[in-house]
Amino acid sequence: MLSQQYTRNLIIGEFAAEVFNESATLMLQEQYKEAAGFFQTRSGRLLENISGKPWRVTAGDNPSMTIDFVRHVRFLDLKKTARGKKKKVYRRIYNRFFHGYIYGYAYKRLRYGFTQGVRAEIIQRLRQSGYTIPDTSNI
């Protein structure tokens, strides 16, 4: 039973890692479009960071995702300048994408993503590993 639970956790970890990779890819594509279309290129570090692969996903028992943005991207998203003056033109580049894709997309996929297809895949992999699993189609 312990190995069955461990195998199930690994499959769930793989699913979560796939969702994290999808959400990070989509988020950074949208951020790159916004940054390239609106913000002036000064040093090029922002576009270089976003166009690369600044995220790391670890799968396994405890899947996680880490995104390494350049530090100044958070300050581009503020409505006011450092001196307190309101910006004439305000474009959201950090919070909108970060919260929208990570919390809106990834969280919902992880929470509601275990549909019958994913459950069937877990059962199929467990059966291929040699475990006897009762038929759960009636549940």
Side-chain angles (χ1 to χ4, degrees):
M1 280 304 225
L2 183 63
S3 61
Q4 182 177 5
Q5 182 65 27
Y6 182 72
T7 306
R8 185 175 183 274
N9 287 344
L10 285 177
I11 295 168
I12 291 170
E14 288 176 13
F15 175 71
E18 288 176 19
V19 169
F20 287 152
N21 278 322
E22 285 177 20
S23 62
T25 303
L26 292 172
M27 178 183 73
L28 290 170
Q29 285 175 353
E30 291 294 320
Q31 269 188 325
Y32 184 81
K33 288 178 191 174
E34 186 71 20
F38 177 73
F39 293 103
Q40 297 176 357
T41 304
R42 293 183 183 167
S43 66
R45 287 180 30 225
L46 176 64
L47 292 178
E48 181 182 318
N49 180 258
I50 293 175
S51 66
K53 188 179 176 189
W55 76 90
R56 290 184 308 277
V57 174
T58 57
D61 285 342
N62 194 9
S64 65
M65 177 175 61
T66 306
I67 301 175
D68 296 323
F69 284 114
V70 291
R71 291 182 187 195
H72 71 277
V73 72
R74 294 179 303 184
F75 300 108
L76 294 174
D77 202 37
L78 298 176
K79 290 184 179 182
K80 295 184 179 181
T81 64
R83 295 186 175 145
K85 294 178 73 177
K86 188 175 178 182
K87 291 181 182 177
K88 291 180 183 177
V89 179
Y90 167 67
R91 299 295 278 225
R92 294 177 281 183
I93 184 98
Y94 180 72
N95 287 331
R96 175 183 185 195
F97 296 104
F98 186 75
H99 292 287
Y101 279 97
I102 302 303
Y103 292 116
Y105 179 77
Y107 179 71
K108 286 180 183 176
R109 286 279 317 266
L110 290 175
R111 187 168 180 197
Y112 303 111
F114 289 105
T115 59
Q116 286 300 108
V118 174
R119 289 181 184 145
E121 182 179 340
I122 290 172
I123 290 171
Q124 178 186 0
R125 286 189 184 184
L126 289 173
R127 285 184 179 153
Q128 288 174 351
S129 300
Y131 297 104
T132 56
I133 306 221
D135 186 23
T136 59
S137 61
N138 302 5
I139 299 174

